[in-house]
Amino acid sequence: MSVECVPIVVVGAGPAGLSAAIEAARAGADVLVIDENRQIGGQIFRQLPAGFSVIDSVRLGDEYRRGQALFAELEGLPIRFLLGATVWGCFGDRVLEIVVNRESRQIQADVLVFATGAYDRPVPLPGWTLPGVLTVGGAQTILKSQHMIPGHRILMAGTGPLQLVVASQLARAGADIVAVAEAVRAKDVLSHAYALARAWSITRDGVRYRWNVWRSRVRWIAPAILVRIEGTEQVERATIARVDADWRPIPGTEETFDVDTVCVGYGLVPSVELLRLCGCALDYDARADAWIPRRSGSFETTDANVFAIGDGAEVAGAAVAAEEGRIAGVTAAHRLGRLTGEDAADRMAAPRRRLANLARFREAMDQVYRLRSGIHDLPTEDTVVCRCEEVRACDIRAAVDDGATTLNQVKAWTRTGMGPCQARMCALPTAHLVARRMDRTVTEVGEYTPRPPAKPVSADALTRAAVGSTEIAR
């Protein structure tokens, strides 16, 4: 197997990745964009599948129009796309291991830009593994890609802007939402009025989303969180409770709803698996409750010529992601000699100004929607934490009581984190369980040692990749 060499490779075709590719290509650099989806756009600008046609773009909202405007910028630029491709490994000298159409490929980049996006934060609680429970991101994907409502009677629970967006989208689509349980009070958001005004275009969208929910007569209950889900073979009931400032349920405030679907959304977690495999340094951010890469002012990681941008580095939304992408794309072109230092600085000036204008809004949102400690008290002894290996909270606590002191030791003793999701669902919840049991911090408990493949791929593809690597070494 030969290694294909490409000047600039962007992993991820959402707003961050596309913006990076556009700026680098405008400077004359050859760019390859890789994405596991069959169409560009990522989650925020997800397109309709082949066979669907748009009759009235107004009904699809501003997101659709913004996506189309971004796609229009791609026209005529030297950008190639490799879609439907899974990047499962990243090794020395910026070599990516890829599977596309069941075939293995190796691509080496002079400059590598990761724009891998984020995924919904897992929050283990009783009943969260029942059929009928899905994340708000999953509900949004079903709605956007198939224009289908994910259930008949829906309870939404969580916090953050994405929950509001999806509640609005579902309500407009005619979903029967019995209630939205929001952990943050409206007055806590409004206390940052100045920051909201500074980013009025985003705030205006939020006001419109909230109006759509109110107009649809959906109950908005705050501050409240989901405490348990019940059912035999699928979701039948869900219970919420009012909470205190630390998100601990207040006794006597529980309310149960008869539902068949529960959408849970407590924010997003950056997808840093490939950054780990690259050897980029990560730090635990307690407020974000996530491991994030160390980055320079141009969003370069500790690994030279490897950049991390957008929600795949720090969750801050599409507007921030796009501006980070533009700065990274210009920097990448400059590294390859396509721009002088002065030209690069000129091209980055506007994105830097826009990021500065968004900084206060971003700080406010991070403060308002940060996770509180009570969310980690929800798992009971029998609650499954690692869904892939069916490891319960009591198994994790028992491992600590038996002497395990790090996340890797708990992994070795219980198999938590060894399943197909590669610890995306259980790493942070397990870390909190271990840290609380030992009265230590998540940083002290550590993180799982990264192991390829970063995403599930066929054994056949891995075998071909191994054979190819041996041939290259010879």
Side-chain angles (χ1 to χ4, degrees):
M1 184 193 306
S2 61
V3 179
E4 179 184 356
C5 296
V6 179
I8 298 175
V9 176
V10 178
V11 181
L18 292 179
S19 297
I22 287 166
E23 292 301 324
R26 280 176 176 165
D30 292 326
V31 183
L32 173 66
V33 178
I34 304 172
D35 197 280
E36 63 185 357
N37 293 304
R38 296 289 178 180
Q39 294 176 297
I40 62 173
Q43 176 73 345
I44 190 71
F45 297 142
R46 184 175 293 276
Q47 299 186 71
L48 294 170
F52 284 72
S53 59
V54 177
I55 298 174
D56 183 3
S57 63
V58 174
R59 294 185 62 185
L60 295 178
D62 289 342
E63 280 184 6
Y64 175 80
R65 291 188 291 276
R66 289 169 188 157
Q68 294 303 306
L70 183 62
F71 301 156
E73 292 188 60
L74 298 166
E75 295 179 8
L77 295 175
I79 301 173
R80 292 186 294 136
F81 289 92
L82 183 60
L83 303 178
T86 300
V87 180
W88 61 264
C90 179
F91 304 103
D93 297 325
R94 297 174 298 281
V95 175
L96 297 175
E97 294 283 356
I98 303 165
V99 172
V100 56
N101 296 327
R102 300 183 62 85
E103 294 293 329
S104 295
R105 294 178 61 174
Q106 290 182 322
I107 296 176
Q108 183 175 40
D110 294 327
V111 178
L112 185 53
V113 181
F114 284 111
T116 48
Y119 56 91
D120 292 85
R121 177 181 302 282
V123 176
L125 71 154
W128 77 307
T129 58
L130 280 170
V133 180
L134 68 163
T135 63
V136 292
Q140 186 183 53
T141 297
I142 293 171
L143 185 62
K144 280 188 173 184
S145 63
Q146 299 295 329
H147 276 236
M148 294 177 60
I149 295 171
H152 297 289
R153 286 178 55 81
I154 303 170
L155 172 71
M156 302 187 69
T159 192
L162 181 59
Q163 172 166 255
L164 175 59
V165 171
V166 178
S168 171
Q169 292 170 339
L170 287 173
R172 287 190 63 189
D176 180 8
I177 305 174
V178 299
V180 175
E182 167 60 59
V184 171
R185 300 173 298 178
K187 71 176 185 178
D188 293 331
V189 179
L190 295 176
S191 66
H192 296 273
Y194 179 73
L196 296 175
R198 284 287 300 272
W200 176 241
S201 63
I202 300 176
T203 302
R204 182 183 57 207
D205 288 343
V207 172
R208 187 174 68 253
Y209 294 140
R210 187 67 181 87
W211 166 255
N212 287 337
V213 174
W214 180 85
R215 186 174 58 182
S216 299
R217 301 184 183 278
V218 175
R219 283 188 63 192
W220 190 274
I221 306 171
I225 64 171
L226 181 67
V227 293
R228 65 179 176 272
I229 306 164
E230 298 171 292
T232 50
E233 296 183 355
Q234 64 178 51
V235 172
E236 297 173 6
R237 294 173 300 281
T239 300
I240 66 170
R242 298 278 183 169
V243 292
D244 61 19
D246 291 323
W247 292 5
R248 289 187 171 85
I250 299 172
T253 64
E254 290 189 349
E255 186 173 0
T256 300
F257 298 87
D258 292 327
V259 293
D260 57 37
T261 305
V262 177
C263 298
V264 185
Y266 286 93
L268 302 171
V269 179
S271 295
V272 297
E273 296 79 21
L274 291 172
L275 292 171
R276 282 196 177 104
L277 288 177
C278 274
C280 302
L282 304 175
D283 297 307
Y284 176 70
D285 185 327
R287 186 165 64 177
D289 188 29
W291 291 89
I292 61 175
R294 294 179 200 164
R295 301 187 292 169
S296 70
S298 297
F299 310 111
E300 186 176 18
T301 68
T302 54
D303 194 353
N305 288 333
V306 176
F307 294 78
I309 55 175
D311 286 354
E314 288 187 69
V315 176
V320 170
E323 304 305 339
E324 289 186 358
R326 295 192 185 278
I327 291 171
V330 171
T331 305
H334 173 55
R335 289 287 172 84
L336 297 180
R338 294 290 183 172
L339 293 171
T340 66
E342 185 177 353
D343 287 340
D346 288 343
R347 293 187 184 215
M348 287 190 285
R352 289 197 186 282
R353 283 196 301 270
R354 289 191 287 267
L355 279 179
N357 288 335
L358 289 167
R360 187 152 188 164
F361 176 82
R362 179 179 176 182
E363 173 70 20
M365 294 301 98
D366 287 347
Q367 175 66 24
V368 168
Y369 292 115
R370 74 188 188 282
L371 258 66
R372 273 63 158 194
S373 58
I375 204 77
H376 305 303
D377 294 331
L378 293 176
T380 62
E381 289 293 285
D382 288 332
T383 299
V384 171
V385 176
C386 175
R387 300 164 66 105
C388 300
E389 298 294 326
E390 297 187 345
V391 181
R392 300 168 299 169
C394 62
D395 301 323
I396 294 167
R397 292 174 178 135
V400 174
D401 295 343
D402 287 342
T405 59
T406 67
L407 208 58
N408 275 326
Q409 285 180 325
V410 172
K411 177 181 180 179
W413 294 8
T414 66
R415 291 191 58 82
T416 179
M418 291 187 180
C421 86
Q422 289 290 64
R424 287 173 179 81
M425 289 292 100
C426 64
L428 284 169
T430 301
H432 281 288
L433 282 170
V434 174
R436 291 160 80 85
R437 194 70 165 183
M438 299 181 65
D439 195 23
R440 296 172 68 180
T441 65
V442 171
T443 302
E444 290 172 323
V445 167
E447 54 183 326
Y448 289 132
T449 300
R451 299 282 187 236
K455 289 194 172 181
V457 294
S458 68
D460 179 57
L462 287 176
T463 301
R464 294 186 185 191
V467 171
S469 297
T470 303
E471 292 174 350
I472 293 168
R474 290 175 179 171

